Amino acid sequence: MKKLFPLLLLFLAQIVCSQTYTVLDSVQKTPISYATISFGNGNGTFADADGRFQFSKKWYSDIDSLYISAVGHKEKTISTTSLDKYILLVEDIAELKEVYITAEKKRKYKTKKIASEVHNDYFKSWLPTVESEIAVFFPRNSEKSTKIASVYLPIKTESSNRNSNSTGSFSTLFKMQFYENDNGFPGKRLSYEDIIFKVTDKDKSNFELNVSEYRVFVPKEGFFVSIQVLGYTDTKGKLQQTKKYSEIETRKGIVKVSTTFRPLLPFTDKISGYKTFTRRIFFKNRAWQRFDKEYSNNNNLIKNNNTNYGMGLKLHLYEDN
């Protein structure tokens, strides 16, 4: 009981210090789900499904501005000294005009699969953090109108290579987005809605995400499919406000290490070329980097030529255009 009392005080102190803010659409006054709240320095957080997030100057005394963004809305910069309880984002009319509206009609099609590359090797897997977004390039190899039916996502649910029957359960929320091909790099975000999905320890190693209802068509120049971790969820599937880093004491002082999430993402050397890109989404300059030797000389995945995430697709190639 004596040990529990200090923990209880710490928990209560966090509740008192933290403040909850809600991101809303400026016209409809409806919550904007999973908005990105960037601190501009590599750290940040996400709003939950109800547009709510927590922030406190006592937690982040060195942060003077928040950069809040969401699909279909203009990014807003707010001083942390003048935060309102409700934060209104203005619709981006130019972006909304480009939303792809494709009338679904019954057409004959052939199914084609681009196989994913699945393995269970911890040392050949990417350790996901909420700071990183991963994008994989797919060309369009047919003149026919091509729709994505499913995305295959290789996952590794265990946290290590040790054989154990009790690796611990988890439920992780992801976001999927699509980008145009800009001379071999991820370019402008294609105006499809964000796809929010959940992965748990019960899912298969070749996770299939059915995206047919979103009516995503592959541009002639090809495109990029990206995923990023939003965080763990509670038992009801609600996004938790997870601590984004751990503080580890070293000889040189306290070092902040990014919190990693399960599932791990298997990378592979069986895909030719460099088709995988990554970027740090909480920096103001969210530049994409190709995952190759120029990205890092010390990364063990790159050293062993495991430079591509083994994502795959199921495609519908329509007979009539």
Side-chain angles (χ1 to χ4, degrees), residues 114-119 134 136 138 150-157 174-176 195 197-199 203-211 225-228 263-266 309-314:
I114 300 174
S116 53
E117 294 291 341
V118 182
H119 65 70
I134 296 173
V136 178
F138 291 96
S150 293
V151 181
Y152 296 108
L153 301 170
I155 60 172
K156 175 176 168 54
T157 58
F174 281 85
K175 177 165 68 174
M176 177 175 288
I195 299 175
F197 62 98
K198 183 173 62 176
V199 179
D203 286 310
K204 296 179 180 179
S205 59
N206 192 22
F207 181 86
E208 181 178 0
L209 179 66
N210 188 323
V211 299
V225 182
S226 87
I227 60 172
Q228 67 182 87
L264 311 185
L265 305 180
Y309 176 45
M311 187 186 294
L313 297 178
K314 180 194 289 184

Side-chain angles (χ1 to χ4, degrees), residues 6-16:
L7 292 176
L8 180 60
L9 288 178
L10 178 60
F11 177 73
L12 291 174
Q14 288 181 333
I15 293 176
V16 172

Side-chain angles (χ1 to χ4, degrees), residues 100 102 128 156 158 275:
Y100 291 84
T102 306
K156 175 176 168 54
E158 298 85 0
K275 297 181 179 180

Side-chain angles (χ1 to χ4, degrees), residues 64-273:
D64 55 18
S65 295
L66 300 183
Y67 306 90
I68 302 174
S69 59
V71 61
H73 295 80
K74 295 180 179 179
E75 183 176 87
K76 187 170 187 175
T77 304
I78 305 176
S79 170
T80 55
T81 59
S82 58
L83 282 173
D84 293 325
K85 185 177 180 180
Y86 297 101
I87 299 169
L88 305 181
L89 294 191
V90 176
E91 289 183 342
D92 189 337
I93 302 300
E95 183 174 323
L96 289 173
K97 284 182 179 179
E98 296 178 0
V99 172
Y100 291 84
I101 302 175
T102 306
E104 199 71 49
K105 59 182 180 179
K106 291 184 178 181
R107 295 188 289 169
K108 292 183 178 180
Y109 60 82
K110 292 182 179 179
T111 299
K112 178 182 178 181
K113 290 185 179 181
I114 300 174
S116 53
E117 294 291 341
V118 182
H119 65 70
N120 199 38
D121 190 337
Y122 171 84
F123 297 102
K124 295 180 181 179
S125 296
W126 177 278
L127 307 182
T129 68
V130 293
E131 290 89 353
S132 297
E133 182 179 5
I134 296 173
V136 178
F137 176 69
F138 291 96
R140 194 176 107 177
N141 296 321
S142 173
E143 293 299 319
K144 298 180 182 297
S145 178
T146 304
K147 173 184 168 182
I148 303 178
S150 293
V151 181
Y152 296 108
L153 301 170
I155 60 172
K156 175 176 168 54
T157 58
E158 298 85 0
S159 59
S160 72
N161 275 350
R162 290 176 296 180
N163 294 323
S164 173
N165 293 325
S166 57
T167 56
S169 61
F170 68 85
S171 175
T172 305
L173 210 62
F174 281 85
K175 177 165 68 174
M176 177 175 288
Q177 301 175 93
F178 306 94
Y179 296 90
E180 67 180 19
N181 175 20
D182 184 7
N183 295 316
F185 275 74
K188 186 177 180 181
R189 185 188 182 283
L190 295 174
S191 298
Y192 295 105
E193 63 181 289
D194 294 342
I195 299 175
I196 307 298
F197 62 98
K198 183 173 62 176
V199 179
T200 75
D201 57 295
K202 301 295 189 292
D203 286 310
K204 296 179 180 179
S205 59
N206 192 22
F207 181 86
E208 181 178 0
L209 179 66
N210 188 323
V211 299
S212 183
E213 65 180 282
Y214 295 93
R215 301 194 293 275
V216 179
F217 285 81
V218 183
K220 291 182 179 180
E221 302 79 15
F223 75 144
F224 289 82
V225 182
S226 87
I227 60 172
Q228 67 182 87
V229 171
L230 297 178
Y232 287 133
T233 74
D234 60 20
T235 56
K236 296 181 179 179
K238 187 177 178 63
L239 181 65
Q240 295 178 317
Q241 292 284 320
T242 310
K243 192 172 184 181
K244 305 305 181 290
Y245 57 82
S246 301
E247 294 183 348
I248 299 177
E249 188 172 352
T250 68
R251 294 179 181 178
K252 296 182 180 181
I254 300 296
V255 176
K256 293 182 178 179
V257 179
S258 296
T259 301
T260 58
F261 293 79
R262 288 193 289 157
L264 311 185
L265 305 180
F267 271 49
T268 181
D269 61 357
K270 299 184 183 302
I271 298 175
S272 61

